[in-house]
Amino acid sequence: QVQLVESGGGLVQPGGSLRLSCELSGDTFSMYAMAWFRQAPGKEREFVAAISQLAVSMYYAESVKGRSSISRDNAKNTVWLEMNSLKPEDTAVYFCNAKATFLSSQWTEDSGSWGQGTQVTVSS
């Protein structure tokens, strides 16, 4: 029932920034912990960042910690991922993820509902 639509991907220069957006519909946004995952060609999907239902807690993968920021606005049913100092290895399809859980230990799991993905390409 839940639907997720990502946007904001594109081509960016190394060292640049992007802000990805994800809108949820079909269910109550505030009941979901939200996360971003990414998948490069030939690789498994990996966790990037997560945010709790009321934005009390955030968690980041070590590969993006310090240069990424996840945020949400429950009034807009939207979660964002801001990525700075982008590197070529950040190139991937980025997926929005929704999980109806309050357990942070489950945030990084490859489960829940998924968007269609948005392509991020970091290249000079």
Side-chain angles (χ1 to χ4, degrees):
Q1 184 177 8
V2 63
Q3 301 176 40
L4 302 168
V5 179
E6 304 96 332
S7 62
L11 176 65
V12 63
Q13 304 293 322
S17 300
L18 278 179
R19 193 186 195 207
L20 307 180
S21 298
C22 172
E23 296 186 31
L24 181 149
S25 62
D27 209 344
T28 304
F29 180 71
S30 60
M31 72 181 292
Y32 292 95
M34 301 297 297
W36 289 92
F37 289 70
R38 66 187 182 186
Q39 186 171 30
K43 299 181 179 179
E44 294 185 349
R45 186 155 57 188
E46 65 175 356
F47 171 79
V48 178
I51 186 169
S52 63
Q53 285 83 345
L54 298 180
V56 173
S57 301
M58 295 82 166
Y59 182 69
Y60 300 91
E62 290 296 325
S63 59
V64 302
K65 188 177 297 183
R67 60 188 184 93
S68 297
S69 179
I70 187 170
S71 59
R72 68 189 294 163
D73 186 339
N74 288 349
K76 297 182 181 295
N77 295 344
T78 301
V79 61
W80 297 271
L81 178 68
E82 177 79 27
M83 297 192 68
N84 307 304
S85 301
L86 284 163
K87 308 171 182 179
E89 52 262 44
D90 293 319
T91 296
V93 176
Y94 283 71
F95 295 92
C96 183
N97 171 249
K99 295 188 179 75
T101 179
F102 291 94
L103 301 177
S104 60
S105 61
Q106 298 180 359
W107 292 353
T108 62
E109 295 180 355
D110 195 326
S111 62
S113 300
W114 300 92
Q116 83 289 344
T118 184
Q119 177 71 48
V120 172
T121 302
V122 184
S123 176
S124 60

